[in-house]
Amino acid sequence: MTLLKNRILSPSQSDNLLLWILRLLALITGIIVILITAFLLLEALPILQQLGWRRFVSDPSWHPVQGFYNLLPMLWGSLLVTLGSVLLATPLGIGSAIFCQYYAPPVIARLYRTLIELLAGIPSVVYGFWGLVVLVPLIGKLQSPGTSLLAGIAILTLMILPTIALTAEASFAEVPAEYLQGAAALGISRWATISSVVVPAAKSGLFTGLILGTGRAIGETMAVLMVCGNVVQTPKSLFDPIRTLTANIALEMAYATGNHRSALFVSGLLLMVAIAILVAVAETISQRNIYG
């Protein structure tokens, strides 16, 4: 028994071991991010040294064979399809989490949660295929051609909604029971409790879900490639076809060479910058929530 006890790590030793493992994992993650960024920068450097950044927003169009490298229409396409999907998915996801957590009977809540989890596990290509054969023809009946910014927004809304909903529900579940009991003791109605007590208490988790959903939307490739039409233009309406930066990389990387290939890596750098800005904003808001 004494020998067995000696073999068991003390709590302090276990904590130290866990701390070093976490430090190692964090270091590996940081190195991977740095290596990916360095690789993108090295591949994009030839055309950046030759043309500079300005050509990517001032050229007449995107025709790499003719020496035109304007990425602005595709950047607008990526931003608009992401913004539209986030604006739709956020209230839907938070509303479904509120329903599941506070209004639905237990049986219905479990079934509803299972369906949301199922949506989260569907591959993006399946969403894209469904959108191509079902959603695009429906939009085409309103205004041709059907493949459009609106189709991309609708598909991405379905794709990021489970992420926002499940994160929101987990955040609501972590709200201390004392908050709800105190509100009940004061005679506050259920909706007033949710809007004035639960949501403010869970705002950090809600914002995390929003950031995760936005990150998935801005980086999505296959689904938007299949339903957005892949026309390089700045959309003037929801029914205009668009091409996103991710779709452009997927479509052209297989045959791109020289400056054309380097320009695609510039697209990757732009996406990395967008994600970095998103993370920085999230960290700033998180710190304000902690210390504000």
Side-chain angles (χ1 to χ4, degrees):
M1 180 65 69
T2 303
L3 181 61
L4 180 61
K5 288 182 179 180
N6 291 334
R7 290 181 179 179
I8 298 176
L9 293 174
S10 65
S12 60
Q13 290 174 322
S14 300
D15 292 342
N16 289 334
L17 178 61
L18 178 61
L19 179 61
W20 280 106
I21 292 174
L22 293 176
R23 286 175 176 172
L24 178 62
L25 294 176
L27 178 63
I28 293 173
T29 303
I31 291 173
I32 291 173
V33 173
I34 292 172
L35 289 176
I36 292 174
T37 306
F39 172 73
L40 290 174
L41 187 58
L42 287 174
E43 292 291 339
L45 203 56
I47 194 170
L48 290 176
Q49 291 177 333
Q50 182 179 343
L51 302 179
W53 282 98
R54 185 170 296 180
R55 289 281 301 277
F56 292 97
V57 296
S58 62
D59 276 0
S61 61
W62 170 263
H63 286 99
V65 177
Q66 301 175 15
F68 298 142
Y69 301 99
N70 190 355
L71 293 173
L72 203 55
M74 290 174 285
L75 180 60
W76 274 115
S78 295
L79 293 177
L80 289 174
V81 77
T82 300
L83 180 62
S85 62
V86 169
L87 288 177
L88 288 177
T90 299
L92 290 174
I94 295 176
S96 65
I98 291 173
F99 169 76
C100 228
Q101 191 72 21
Y102 299 107
Y103 286 96
V107 175
I108 296 178
R110 284 195 298 270
L111 177 61
Y112 191 81
R113 191 178 299 112
T114 301
L115 293 176
I116 294 293
E117 291 171 351
L118 179 62
L119 281 177
I122 296 176
S124 61
V125 68
V126 176
Y127 279 107
F129 184 68
W130 175 83
L132 185 63
V133 300
V134 177
L135 185 62
V136 167
L138 290 176
I139 296 176
K141 292 180 180 179
L142 297 176
Q143 184 171 328
S144 62
T147 50
S148 58
L149 173 61
L150 179 60
I153 289 174
I155 287 296
L156 282 184
T157 298
L158 289 176
M159 294 181 66
I160 68 175
L161 187 146
T163 301
I164 296 175
L166 293 174
T167 307
E169 187 177 358
S171 301
F172 292 149
E174 292 298 321
V175 174
E178 292 81 2
Y179 290 9
L180 304 178
Q181 294 168 358
L186 293 172
I188 301 176
S189 66
R190 180 184 300 184
W191 175 246
T193 301
I194 293 170
S195 59
S196 303
V197 178
V198 174
V199 172
K203 63 181 178 180
S204 179
L206 298 179
F207 189 75
T208 299
L210 175 62
I211 294 298
L212 291 174
T214 305
R216 182 178 184 186
I218 202 170
E220 178 53 40
T221 303
M222 284 306 301
V224 294
L225 188 152
M226 296 173 74
V227 303
C228 286
N230 300 312
V231 177
V232 181
Q233 63 177 354
T234 302
K236 295 180 175 59
S237 76
L238 288 172
F239 298 98
D240 287 344
I242 63 165
R243 181 185 292 187
T244 62
L245 288 173
T246 52
N248 189 55
I249 294 172
L251 285 169
E252 300 188 6
M253 182 56 75
Y255 62 86
T257 58
N259 282 345
H260 184 187
R261 184 174 185 273
S262 292
L264 294 179
F265 279 96
V266 174
S267 301
L269 275 178
L270 288 176
L271 290 170
M272 287 289 290
V273 169
I275 295 299
I277 293 173
L278 192 64
V279 171
V281 171
E283 186 66 22
T284 301
I285 294 178
S286 177
Q287 292 299 320
R288 287 180 179 176
N289 289 338
I290 293 174
Y291 300 109

